[in-house]
Amino acid sequence: MSLEDEYRVDPEVTQWQGRFISAKTRGRWEYVSRARGIKAAVILAITPEDEVVLVEQFRIPLGKPCVELPAGLIGDDDGGEGELAATAAIRELEEETGYRAGRMEDLGEYYSSPGMVSESFTLFRAYDLERVGPGGGVEGEGITVLHVPRRELPQFLDAKRAAGYGIDVRLLLLLSPFWFKE
């Protein structure tokens, strides 16, 4: 029987569910999904000075700080059901980094690790950035805003990795031009 046939035949069983995630099984597969169908918005923001706006925060699952693109959950607040992904991206960018985007471009839906997590995120490109606050996220997030010249990003991330930081996989989209030079 193919995996697709197994998917159709085996029911999905929720083994455990918390406020934000669910551990599930379907046949012999174990995976995690966002509870209540919540998705995420991820934002690529580059300043007029050609600096990538990143965030750094301690991540409990990693046990260490991680360098990431700004991101957040869509409709995760009480009463936030039905929030548009673009609205969440605008909100999260301002909360986490202190920047307001004049325009957001939807670059599509992507899956982080489809072999074990069903979560998807919508990637947005922020344009016409205006600094309107300090950023840092909401209380308890402990977010540090980073401005990294795009041309220095590989060296910056290498230094952070060497210092024991985690690096978000989505930063690969900014590194590929450095890896595929002719």
Side-chain angles (χ1 to χ4, degrees):
M1 184 180 326
S2 73
L3 284 177
E4 193 171 337
D5 291 336
E6 284 184 49
Y7 178 83
R8 288 189 180 110
V9 171
D10 292 328
E12 181 178 76
V13 178
T14 300
Q15 301 295 332
W16 176 86
Q17 182 166 321
R19 182 171 174 214
F20 293 106
I21 62 169
S22 301
K24 299 180 177 186
T25 57
R26 184 181 288 268
R28 59 190 169 100
W29 285 89
E30 299 173 344
Y31 55 97
V32 177
S33 67
R34 286 281 179 195
R36 305 182 325 266
I38 292 174
K39 296 184 179 188
V42 177
I43 306 100
L44 172 59
I46 300 174
T47 68
E49 296 77 29
D50 203 34
E51 295 173 320
V52 181
V53 180
L54 302 174
V55 295
E56 173 186 306
Q57 62 182 319
F58 189 87
R59 291 298 195 176
I60 294 285
L62 304 179
K64 58 185 171 184
C66 189
V67 177
E68 310 170 5
L69 292 173
L73 299 178
I74 301 167
D76 62 325
D77 294 327
D78 290 334
E81 300 81 10
E83 181 180 37
L84 298 175
T87 303
I90 290 167
R91 174 180 49 78
E92 289 291 343
L93 180 65
E94 190 170 329
E95 281 178 10
E96 292 194 358
T97 70
Y99 282 98
R100 183 173 296 144
R103 175 171 71 91
M104 283 283 189
E105 179 183 6
D106 183 330
L107 300 176
E109 183 178 22
Y110 298 87
Y111 294 86
S112 303
S113 183
M116 66 176 267
V117 179
S118 65
E119 177 190 41
S120 69
F121 64 91
T122 302
L123 180 63
F124 288 90
R125 172 70 160 89
Y127 292 94
D128 307 323
L129 297 177
E130 174 188 3
R131 193 73 188 254
V132 296
V138 296
E139 174 127 7
E141 283 187 305
I143 292 173
T144 301
V145 182
L146 306 171
H147 296 86
V148 181
R150 192 166 20 169
R151 70 186 174 287
E152 297 173 16
L153 189 61
Q155 298 83 3
F156 174 83
L157 294 177
D158 285 347
K160 287 291 190 179
R161 190 178 293 108
Y165 286 64
I167 308 299
D168 183 354
V169 68
R170 293 171 280 227
L171 290 173
L172 289 172
L173 72 101
L174 292 167
L175 292 174
S176 62
F178 296 99
W179 292 348
F180 297 106
K181 293 184 212 173
E182 290 297 319

